[in-house]
């Protein structure tokens, strides 16, 4: 009975978000649908995800932007089959609106950091991670590569600034901190997101090799230095961000 009930609640809301003529109603309907999905049984919520994905083709920029925020909220919860939604992030990196692209990078950064946090905690607690999180991690590595490419494309400065910030975050996450491995306590877990670092993950795992990630972070530092060397050809705000990132 749970499945029909959930669909009866969510599908009319998603239909209103997609088809109603008033933007405020569209956004309100999507917000209500999100709240229902977040409180629903994860396996049942996943049945509705394909209908949620349909909203990425909406002509309304603000609705597409809010859809990315909804995906972020869902992806940062322990919910099954969330990887179904992540291709929307890739498509949205190529959205015609810079507002949507910027929100995609912001939300993708939050998902990336939150997922690494969750993986690290699962490794420490059980020595393994859930299969659904492995799939999410594979998608987020692809997302990382796509965002990095934006640094070298003819896109608005605001998008490149956020891509650069993502690059900086990636370097910090995967540059080992010798003191981090000694900091994992139950008291610290509430502040884990600020402290999360590759040092929390010990050993080689089938889908995540810390040594390879550290090596990639070092390579990414090289990309940052290359950008710094070409700073004279970059817009002023981007040059400042490159310098700040290189000294972080």
């Amino acid at each position: 009975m749970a499945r029909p009930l959930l669909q009866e609640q969510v599908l009319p809301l998603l239909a209103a978000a997609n088809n109603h003529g008033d933007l405020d109603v569209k956004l309100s309907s999507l917000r209500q649908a999100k709240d229902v999905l977040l409180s629903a049984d994860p396996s049942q919520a996943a049945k509705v995800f394909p209908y949620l994905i349909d909203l990425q083709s909406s002509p309304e920029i603000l609705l597409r932007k809010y859809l990315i925020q909804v995906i972020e909220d869902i992806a940062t919860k322990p919910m099954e089959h969330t990887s179904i939604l992540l291709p929307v992030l890739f498509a949205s990196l190529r959205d015609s609106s810079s507002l949507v692209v910027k929100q995609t990078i912001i939300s993708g950064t939050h998902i990336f950091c939150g997922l690494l946090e969750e993986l690290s905690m699962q490794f420490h607690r059980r020595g393994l991670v859930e299969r659904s999180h492995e799939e999410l991690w594979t998608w987020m590595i692809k997302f990382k590569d796509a965002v990095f490419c934006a640094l070298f494309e003819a896109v608005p400065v605001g998008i490149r600034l956020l891509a650069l910030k993502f690059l900086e975050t990636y370097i910090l996450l995967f540059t080992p901190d010798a003191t981090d491995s000694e900091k994992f306590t139950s008291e610290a877990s509430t502040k884990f997101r600020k402290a999360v670092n590759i040092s929390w993950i010990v050993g080689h795992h089938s889908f995540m090799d810390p040594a390879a990630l550290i090596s990639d972070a070092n390579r990414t530092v090289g990309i940052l230095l290359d950008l710094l060397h070409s700073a004279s050809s970059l817009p002023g705000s981007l040059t400042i961000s490159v310098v700040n990132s290189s000294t972080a």
Side-chain angles (χ1 to χ4, degrees), residues 17 23-24 26-27 30-31 55 58-70 95 97 99-100 103:
L23 178 58
D24 288 338
K26 286 175 176 287
L27 293 172
L30 181 53
R31 188 176 299 109
L55 296 179
S58 170
E60 297 287 355
I61 292 173
L62 292 181
L63 187 69
R64 299 200 306 273
K65 179 177 180 288
Y66 187 60
L67 173 63
I68 298 302
Q69 294 174 272
V70 171
D95 196 278
S97 168
L99 279 177
V100 177
Q103 183 61 55

Side-chain angles (χ1 to χ4, degrees), residues 191-213:
K191 300 179 180 179
F192 191 78
R193 181 163 298 182
K194 293 183 180 180
V196 65
N197 182 269
I198 191 61
S199 302
W200 296 91
I201 299 177
V202 179
H204 177 87
H205 305 277
S206 59
F207 71 100
M208 175 184 282
D209 182 357
L213 290 167

Side-chain angles (χ1 to χ4, degrees), residues 90-110:
F90 286 88
S92 297
L93 285 174
R94 299 294 179 182
D95 196 278
S96 59
S97 168
S98 61
L99 279 177
V100 177
V101 178
K102 288 190 285 188
Q103 183 61 55
T104 300
I105 297 175
I106 292 170
S107 292
T109 301
H110 294 162

Side-chain angles (χ1 to χ4, degrees), residues 128-199:
L128 50 84
V129 300
E130 298 172 5
R131 178 62 181 272
S132 60
H133 286 83
E134 292 185 23
E135 295 175 357
L136 281 174
W137 182 250
T138 299
W139 276 108
M140 291 315 297
I141 290 297
K142 294 178 181 178
F143 178 81
K144 178 265 297 184
D145 293 338
V147 172
F148 280 13
C149 288
L151 282 170
F152 305 97
E153 296 177 352
V155 296
V157 172
I159 293 175
R160 296 182 73 185
L161 285 171
L162 287 171
L164 179 61
K165 186 64 178 177
F166 183 90
L167 181 150
E168 176 188 341
T169 299
Y170 181 79
I171 292 172
L172 293 175
L173 288 173
F174 297 111
T175 299
D177 184 336
T179 62
D180 269 356
S181 60
E182 301 174 359
K183 291 181 180 177
F184 191 86
T185 64
S186 58
E187 293 81 5
S189 63
T190 57
K191 300 179 180 179
F192 191 78
R193 181 163 298 182
K194 293 183 180 180
V196 65
N197 182 269
I198 191 61
S199 302

